[in-house]
Amino acid sequence: MRPGNTSPPNFMQHIPRIKIWYALLLVVMAVFVVKLFYLQVIRHDYYQQAALRGQLKQYEVEAERGTILAHNGDSQTPIVLNQALYTLYTDPKFIKNASETALAVQKAIGGDAGEYEEKMKKNSRYEILAKKLSKEQQKTIADLKLKGVGTQQTNYRTYPQGQLAAQLLGFVNDEGDGQYGLEEALNSELQGKNGRLKAITDAQGVPLAANKDNIVESPQSGKQLLLTIDLGMQQQLEDIIKQQHDETKASQASAVILEANTGAVKAMANYPTFNPAEFSTIEDQSAFKNAVVTDAVEVGSIMKTLTAAAALDLGVVSKNTSYYDPASFKVDDAVVRNIEEDGGPGTKSIADILQLSLNTGATWLLMQMGGGEINQKARVAWHDYLINHYHFGKPTGIEQSNEAAGVVPDPNDGYGLNIKFANTAFGQGQTETILQMAAALAAVVNGGTYYQPQLVDAYVRNDGSLEQKKPKIVSENVVKPTVSKDIQEFMAYTLQKNKVNYGTRELRPEYVYGGKTGTAEVARPEGGYYDDRFDGTFLGFIGGDSPQYVIAVRIREPRNISGYAGAKAAAPVYFKLVDMLINNFGVKPKS
């Protein structure tokens, strides 16, 4: 057989396959190039941070919280400051021997070594071991150079005036958040804005001292405040209500002193109170509340001053109007009666309604708003004054947390509306805070301007200059100026005629006084009223040619008194405060 003929390989037939492999190689190289570009350029910062993760950590730089000042006569005195203390923390990643490290910490600052060890074994990068270390303790820890243990400076609130104005101020918790009072209401302004810091550690995980080169973003300090409060007036108010609380064995005592022509709160206090530097030791959290603004209650007969003002302003009665008072009115299925000292049926004046504290008189005033009877017209007219003139049923907007709005009944919706509104005319069946009552009376006696109550007088700039906060006018024409004068006279007459009941001496003729007591039954939670529990209230003013200060007082459930709670428990506080204001705080006599 003839051997076969073998042809040489044809190179050209492999060219397409080579091109395919070449193309694949180019694709792979392109992928690597793109990946390298992505890693080295686009994600450069990310991987650089990852490479330094053992040594570079981001921490917040705490902003300094704004300090708080108050007036002290002609000067300004700090009432809330900051103190630099230290937080001790651990980064468990760097802890090699938790038991040994924990024992070293315990020997340096005390505490429980077992708790320290437990935190050092956790699967996290940041655990707090202790708070509020002193500078000396911080230095002791730093000198040990413990792997994975460091400190951070933290500002804590201090109170140079002790417990003075505690409920008005509130406090700052361990997380740096304002709680209660002004600290919570203005937390965002006081808190400032934290910065960011690169805290460098050495190879052993020991945090090194930060310097200005490590600041990523500088912190912004909180605003510094100057309050309207006068420290001397505040201290004396607190002393007076504490004394009255103890003498009457009351559940609580509260009072506020308001400038009639600006809305500035000069003093505001409650007793019992607390020390804000020791807030964590207080078990009964009701001690934190500023009851002057948080407790809306049935205020009793002090409301009659505002009922009379509304009737006079509407023109349904005049200053010299008299009427026949039957000593009782039947309204719906209920009967409105007076206290025993009303003098019985007979002709009465508008002044008598306040001086004798006639429930029937307040009811009669409401009737005049309806053309002679309690009806929808009367209810709507009185409701308009309560809501739109006196601004009840809504917070005043003062710089305080948890301010109560109070409740005003709807004039057109519900059952027994006529008797319900008859009750509101003499201070039952609706609720207000004593701050709301003070602000409303200020508007009535200052000529008709309602100022928003305020506690912040000014913001203090970095150079110490003041950015003054102007009084805020909420509404004008609350009542006519003539009505304002009439109410001043009626309240002065009431005070003069009843001063014997209040146990006070003669009033000084060079000043203008005015006031009205209230004794309100305490409502049961399930409805109705207690037979043996009352709140004493007082609403009044003091000044020279015109009212300068308005004073509102509430003594909650006094027990050690004989007589009406308003006259025997609340009125004495007013007279003590009046003497204090005249003697020490520049009440100008009549010109």
Side-chain angles (χ1 to χ4, degrees):
M1 176 182 287
R2 187 178 175 181
N5 186 19
T6 303
S7 302
N10 189 350
F11 180 76
M12 296 301 295
Q13 68 182 8
H14 294 292
I15 289 177
R17 185 179 300 173
I18 293 172
K19 289 182 177 180
I20 292 174
W21 283 108
Y22 182 71
L24 287 174
L25 180 63
L26 289 177
V27 169
V28 171
M29 291 178 64
V31 169
F32 276 106
V33 170
V34 170
K35 184 67 174 179
L36 288 172
F37 179 81
Y38 175 76
L39 294 176
Q40 295 183 8
V41 179
I42 296 178
R43 298 299 301 277
H44 172 267
D45 291 341
Y46 171 82
Y47 286 103
Q48 184 183 51
Q49 295 294 327
L52 296 174
R53 194 164 291 158
Q55 288 186 293
L56 184 63
K57 302 172 186 175
Q58 294 284 348
Y59 291 111
E60 280 193 329
V61 184
E62 184 182 23
E64 184 173 5
R65 195 172 180 91
T67 55
I68 302 175
L69 310 175
H71 291 280
N72 191 5
D74 295 330
S75 62
Q76 301 162 11
T77 300
I79 193 169
V80 183
L81 294 172
N82 297 312
Q83 178 185 14
L85 297 174
Y86 295 85
T87 297
L88 179 67
Y89 67 91
T90 181
D91 184 343
K93 176 183 178 181
F94 290 96
I95 301 297
K96 302 302 182 182
N97 189 324
S99 177
E100 185 177 297
T101 306
L103 185 60
V105 170
Q106 191 272 334
K107 288 181 178 179
I109 66 167
D112 188 330
E115 290 184 7
Y116 299 151
E117 181 179 350
E118 183 180 346
K119 291 182 178 181
M120 290 175 181
K121 291 180 177 178
K122 287 190 174 183
N123 183 25
S124 73
R125 296 301 307 274
Y126 183 82
E127 292 291 329
I128 293 177
L129 299 178
K131 293 182 177 181
K132 298 185 179 181
L133 299 187
S134 66
K135 178 65 177 176
E136 292 73 21
Q137 290 175 310
Q138 184 270 341
K139 185 178 185 304
T140 300
I141 288 290
D143 290 343
L144 294 176
K145 294 186 178 181
L146 298 172
K147 290 168 51 177
V149 176
T151 58
Q152 292 171 309
Q153 180 176 308
T154 306
N155 292 320
Y156 289 92
R157 290 304 224 186
T158 60
Y159 304 89
Q161 311 302 323
Q163 67 179 29
L164 190 69
Q167 292 151 326
L168 179 159
L169 294 169
F171 57 87
V172 178
N173 64 20
D174 288 344
E175 285 68 49
D177 296 320
Q179 302 287 292
Y180 295 91
L182 193 121
E183 291 277 21
E184 181 175 342
L186 298 182
N187 186 60
S188 60
E189 293 188 22
L190 290 164
Q191 200 169 42
K193 183 179 179 182
N194 289 346
R196 290 189 300 129
L197 170 72
K198 294 177 183 177
I200 306 297
T201 66
D202 63 16
Q204 303 301 315
V206 177
L208 303 176
N211 58 58
K212 63 181 181 180
D213 295 329
N214 293 331
I215 298 291
V216 177
E217 183 179 334
S218 296
Q220 299 176 14
S221 298
K223 291 184 177 180
Q224 186 177 18
L225 307 180
L226 172 63
L227 302 186
T228 58
I229 295 297
D230 185 283
L231 291 183
M233 196 183 299
Q234 179 73 22
Q235 184 64 70
Q236 292 187 57
L237 172 62
E238 294 193 13
D239 292 343
I240 288 169
I241 64 169
K242 179 186 184 303
Q243 180 185 20
Q244 193 69 358
H245 169 274
D246 294 345
E247 288 181 359
T248 63
K249 300 187 184 305
S251 299
Q252 186 182 55
S254 303
V256 60
I257 302 173
L258 190 71
E259 281 188 345
N261 295 293
T262 67
V265 175
K266 301 306 293 181
M268 175 190 286
N270 311 275
Y271 191 84
T273 184
F274 73 103
N275 187 336
E278 301 172 356
F279 72 88
S280 60
T281 66
I282 304 299
E283 296 182 1
D284 183 4
Q285 294 190 358
S286 65
F288 299 147
K289 293 195 311 176
N290 181 0
V292 172
V293 302
T294 64
D295 287 9
V297 297
E298 297 182 46
V299 298
S301 293
I302 60 175
M303 183 63 70
K304 291 169 184 169
T305 58
L306 304 183
T307 310
L312 287 164
D313 198 56
L314 287 167
V316 297
V317 298
S318 68
K319 176 181 177 181
N320 299 316
T321 296
S322 61
Y323 72 102
Y324 179 78
D325 193 301
S328 68
F329 280 117
K330 185 175 181 181
V331 182
D332 294 336
D333 294 328
V335 177
V336 175
R337 293 187 175 88
N338 295 322
I339 59 175
E340 296 175 1
E341 294 83 357
D342 68 346
T347 300
K348 301 292 194 299
S349 67
I350 306 301
D352 291 332
I353 294 175
L354 299 186
Q355 188 260 312
L356 296 173
S357 199
L358 300 177
N359 292 342
T360 52
T363 303
W364 181 83
L365 289 172
L366 181 60
M367 290 177 177
Q368 306 321 297
M369 299 181 201
E373 63 180 1
I374 302 178
N375 50 28
Q376 185 188 40
K377 179 181 177 182
R379 298 193 305 266
V380 169
W382 176 224
H383 182 267
D384 176 60
Y385 271 82
L386 292 170
I387 296 293
N388 298 319
H389 290 244
Y390 304 146
H391 298 280
F392 297 152
K394 50 196 167 189
T396 67
I398 193 171
E399 305 94 333
Q400 290 286 280
S401 65
N402 307 309
E403 184 183 8
V407 176
V408 177
D410 190 314
N412 300 309
D413 186 27
Y415 297 96
L417 289 179
N418 289 335
I419 186 59
K420 184 180 292 185
F421 268 77
N423 288 336
T424 65
F426 50 84
Q428 300 274 176
Q430 65 178 5
T431 59
E432 290 81 27
T433 67
I434 65 169
L435 178 66
Q436 287 175 314
M437 294 300 297
L441 182 67
V444 168
V445 300
N446 72 13
T449 302
Y450 187 103
Y451 292 96
Q452 182 183 59
Q454 68 179 60
L455 281 164
V456 176
D457 190 19
Y459 294 97
V460 184
R461 301 186 181 98
N462 292 335
D463 62 2
S465 63
L466 299 180
E467 180 186 336
Q468 207 71 38
K469 184 177 179 183
K470 296 181 180 179
K472 180 180 179 181
I473 296 176
V474 177
S475 64
E476 297 179 290
N477 303 313
V478 172
V479 296
K480 301 177 184 70
T482 54
V483 173
S484 182
K485 288 293 185 182
D486 291 343
I487 292 297
Q488 289 179 41
E489 291 180 16
F490 289 148
M491 294 181 72
Y493 173 80
T494 298
L495 208 60
Q496 182 67 36
K497 293 285 286 187
N498 292 319
K499 65 180 184 292
V500 175
N501 297 330
Y502 307 153
T504 187
R505 54 171 172 72
E506 286 296 319
L507 305 180
R508 295 164 65 174
E510 65 270 32
Y511 298 98
V512 56
Y513 299 77
K516 178 75 186 77
T517 61
T519 299
E521 296 174 294
V522 176
R524 293 178 180 270
E526 66 274 15
Y529 296 89
Y530 292 103
D531 296 329
D532 57 349
R533 293 167 65 176
F534 301 90
D535 280 352
T537 56
F538 194 96
L539 188 62
F541 60 84
I542 180 64
D545 291 324
S546 63
Q548 184 174 344
Y549 295 109
V550 167
I551 298 169
V553 181
R554 178 194 176 208
I555 307 298
R556 179 182 170 191
E557 299 179 30
R559 293 184 290 276
N560 188 32
I561 59 170
S562 58
Y564 294 105
K568 298 301 183 182
V573 173
Y574 164 81
F575 284 103
K576 290 177 182 178
L577 293 177
V578 161
D579 286 343
M580 176 260 287
L581 291 170
I582 290 174
N583 295 334
N584 302 319
F585 296 101
V587 176
K588 298 177 181 178
K590 297 175 184 177
S591 59

